[in-house]
Amino acid sequence: MKSSELRQSFLDFLKGKGHHIVPSAPVVPQDDPTLLFTNAGMNQFKDIFLGARQITHLRVADSQKCIRVSGKHNDLEEVGRDTYHHTFFEMLGNWSFGDYFKKEAIAWAWELLTEVWKLPKEKLYATIFEGDQADNVPRDDEAADEWKRQTDIQPDHILAFGKKDNFWEMGETGPCGPCSEIHIDRGPEFCDNDDPAHVCQVNGGCARYIELWNLVFIQYNRDETGALHPLPASHVDTGAGFERLVAVIQKKASNYDTDLFTPILTQISDLTGKPYSDGEEGVAFRVIADHLRALSFAIADGAIPGNEGRGYVLRRILRRAARFGRVLEMHEPFIYKLLHSLVQVMGDAYPEIVQRKEYIARVIRAEEESFGRTLDRGIEIFEQKAADVLQSSETVFPGDDAFVLHDTFGFPLDLTQLMAEEKGLTVDVAGFNTEMEKQRQRSSRAHSV
Ligand code: SER
């Protein structure tokens, strides 16, 4: 099944269960100051859950564009190093606004995964919330019972976990609740964790067991003081990671081996003259392909690289991608050219990137050009300093050097940290912050003269 067919089959299935299909909201939230980027399908329905907006449909489904690079949900560090985290991804979701609840959400997810998409039942696991005393939320026995009643999942494949894994919240405040996740065991050959103490298991931190779908039972609102308040009605908010589903259904080991990514990787290969391979170059291919998607969709939806807030997040992403371009020996702007293959893959589902293609390319190219002027010299300086540190058998890259890279060469701190980490070093962040503060004071004195 092609990725476009899979997306459609999700929507068709939910339509058959009485859901109204809506378009994805933009990745730049329209009226939610608590978020820099849309980080989940439920964001656009937050006010409905809180009872602050009227509903026109009790059941809704969509494929939502999400970006997870800041705040509570941030997958940036994993991107490229593993094969199943992304800064930008699509989330297939269905919602019930005070209508159906756990029983139907569980039964339909199981039906779609096992009857329609034919995933092997014996490889699937369901997790439920074990409860939390501090929040005064009980164990979710109701969900566990529905798994037993509505499905033929192996009873010993229903597992309970704590707040970190099975209580979902979009941010520090807002609608939230216990959740039940569906994971798949892809087999021991997928384990990518080389810690000798590692044991493959659900939520165990390797690519063997991966989460496919999260069914959230929205029952509370968390306020600014951290207190939970039960909502007047109970809702369902589900989210399935589309790229992972495509990988599992297309029987690919990596999300990047699916038809969502291969045209982009092929174009990177054409432009760089290098094959997509293992090792650092493979990481660079994946990071560039991933970051291209986040940048393009964010720019299409109105964000623009800059020095603050949302704009700085985009600038950081672009600078990371540009630096990984150097790993592939690309010294001229080239990321903007990849819009061509991205539009091929995603243009039908998201026409905004077709309509704004020229504009997106111009913005990316301008950023690549401006960072390109200082990037090579910055890398040289970083290499010298890192060599000095390693030669003196130290493990910390000095904060004042990280500051110079930031201030003079435009290296965001997280880029220097990433480069340091590749050499087994950490960056003295406190020292970096001290230099930043000194600079702030210098510039405010200069302004007050
Ligand atoms: N909100 C949940 C998540 O993002 C399910 O959609 O995982």
Side-chain angles (χ1 to χ4, degrees):
M1 205 190 285
K2 283 200 258 168
S3 57
S4 54
E5 291 164 348
L6 188 71
R7 194 188 287 111
Q8 195 55 48
S9 81
F10 174 83
L11 298 175
D12 290 345
F13 177 84
L14 271 308
K15 203 169 168 186
K17 304 288 184 198
H19 291 71
H20 176 69
I21 309 302
V22 297
S24 170
V27 284
V28 177
Q30 301 302 286
D31 46 18
D32 188 344
T34 69
L35 284 177
L36 284 183
F37 293 100
T38 297
N39 66 8
M42 55 75 74
N43 295 165
Q44 64 167 316
F45 307 117
K46 182 176 165 184
D47 285 347
I48 298 180
F49 292 136
L50 296 177
R53 179 150 63 93
Q54 283 293 323
I55 30 174
T56 42
H57 300 274
L58 293 174
R59 302 176 180 188
V60 162
D62 73 8
S63 167
Q64 172 66 48
K65 304 174 285 184
C66 299
I67 291 188
R68 288 193 173 173
V69 284
S70 54
K72 196 171 182 70
H73 299 279
N74 185 348
D75 292 331
L76 185 60
E77 302 309 321
E78 271 76 42
V79 171
R81 309 228 152 263
D82 73 22
T83 55
Y84 59 101
H85 279 97
H86 301 288
T87 56
F88 170 91
F89 65 99
E90 291 176 75
M91 191 183 277
L92 304 177
N94 56 292
W95 288 273
S96 154
F97 304 126
D99 185 29
Y100 64 83
F101 204 39
K102 298 180 187 180
K103 175 180 159 197
E104 293 83 352
I106 289 171
W108 293 339
W110 188 253
E111 183 185 337
L112 183 55
L113 291 173
T114 64
E115 310 274 322
V116 182
W117 292 337
K118 309 257 183 259
L119 292 183
K121 293 176 179 174
E122 68 286 1
K123 302 283 183 209
L124 297 176
Y125 288 75
T127 65
I128 59 124
F129 185 46
E130 70 184 9
D132 186 81
Q133 271 192 345
D135 271 341
N136 198 20
V137 178
R139 180 186 166 91
D140 195 354
D141 288 325
E142 186 187 348
D145 289 344
E146 294 299 356
W147 275 108
K148 289 181 204 147
R149 270 200 287 266
Q150 305 304 323
T151 77
D152 50 358
I153 192 168
Q154 283 176 220
D156 62 344
H157 282 196
I158 304 170
L159 310 168
F161 287 90
K163 209 164 154 178
K164 179 175 140 298
D165 296 300
N166 280 81
F167 192 88
W168 198 85
E169 315 199 38
M170 62 177 272
E172 297 313 319
T173 61
C176 53
C179 60
S180 184
E181 295 181 337
I182 302 158
H183 295 242
I184 189 163
D185 175 3
R186 300 197 287 173
E189 67 276 22
F190 283 82
C191 178
D192 58 354
N193 188 324
D194 40 26
D195 179 347
H198 167 73
V199 178
C200 291
Q201 57 192 322
V202 171
N203 292 326
C206 78
R208 172 173 171 183
Y209 291 86
I210 57 166
E211 175 201 335
L212 290 181
W213 201 341
N214 187 10
L215 317 178
V216 185
F217 310 118
I218 302 267
Q219 292 169 271
Y220 304 96
N221 180 29
R222 196 182 291 280
D223 70 18
E224 286 76 12
T225 69
L228 283 186
H229 304 279
L231 290 168
S234 298
H235 313 279
V236 170
D237 153 33
T238 89
F242 181 55
E243 293 75 5
R244 293 180 185 185
L245 272 176
V246 176
V248 165
I249 285 166
Q250 292 184 354
K251 297 196 168 44
K252 303 290 185 192
S254 151
N255 293 2
Y256 294 89
D257 294 339
T258 68
D259 64 346
L260 287 169
F261 284 95
T262 46
I264 304 173
L265 299 180
T266 303
Q267 200 190 350
I268 298 176
S269 200
D270 291 345
L271 290 171
T272 59
K274 289 177 181 292
Y276 172 44
S277 56
D278 290 339
E280 272 312 295
E281 291 195 346
V283 173
F285 267 74
R286 292 194 287 275
V287 169
I288 293 165
D290 171 275
H291 289 12
L292 165 78
R293 295 177 4 131
L295 288 163
S296 302
F297 279 99
I299 296 168
D301 284 345
I304 185 128
N307 278 333
E308 280 168 13
R310 184 178 295 135
Y312 195 57
V313 174
L314 283 195
R315 182 159 281 167
R316 278 168 43 215
I317 295 177
L318 188 126
R319 293 186 174 190
R320 273 170 99 100
R323 183 264 163 179
F324 275 103
R326 296 304 198 262
V327 173
L328 302 176
E329 293 170 51
M330 293 303 282
H331 291 270
E332 296 299 324
F334 73 106
I335 299 166
Y336 75 96
K337 294 184 184 163
L338 300 170
L339 245 300
H340 175 76
S341 46
L342 180 66
V343 163
Q344 261 182 347
V345 179
M346 307 279 279
D348 284 343
Y350 301 101
E352 61 273 28
I353 57 162
V354 184
Q355 283 148 16
R356 310 206 75 191
K357 181 179 166 214
E358 307 301 331
Y359 168 73
I360 301 166
R362 264 204 315 280
V363 173
I364 294 181
R365 182 179 186 165
E367 277 290 306
E368 286 190 86
E369 275 168 357
S370 84
F371 188 44
R373 286 195 273 279
T374 54
L375 177 54
D376 287 320
R377 183 75 189 117
I379 290 175
E380 240 174 76
I381 290 176
F382 171 84
E383 291 294 339
Q384 280 161 14
K385 297 286 174 194
D388 291 347
V389 174
L390 288 167
Q391 207 165 28
S392 54
S393 302
E394 298 285 335
T395 56
V396 181
F397 188 88
D400 49 356
D401 290 319
F403 175 74
V404 171
L405 284 172
H406 174 272
D407 197 45
T408 312
F409 298 95
F411 279 48
L413 176 63
D414 68 330
L415 177 55
T416 305
Q417 285 175 307
L418 175 98
M419 291 163 62
E421 196 191 304
E422 287 171 1
K423 296 190 179 293
L425 303 175
T426 57
V427 175
D428 170 16
V429 176
F432 173 87
N433 287 336
T434 307
E435 294 302 317
M436 284 289 276
E437 187 48 36
K438 280 194 217 156
Q439 193 212 38
R440 255 192 289 276
Q441 285 172 5
R442 277 195 301 274
S443 80
S444 73
R445 266 203 303 276
H447 279 120
S448 59
V449 170

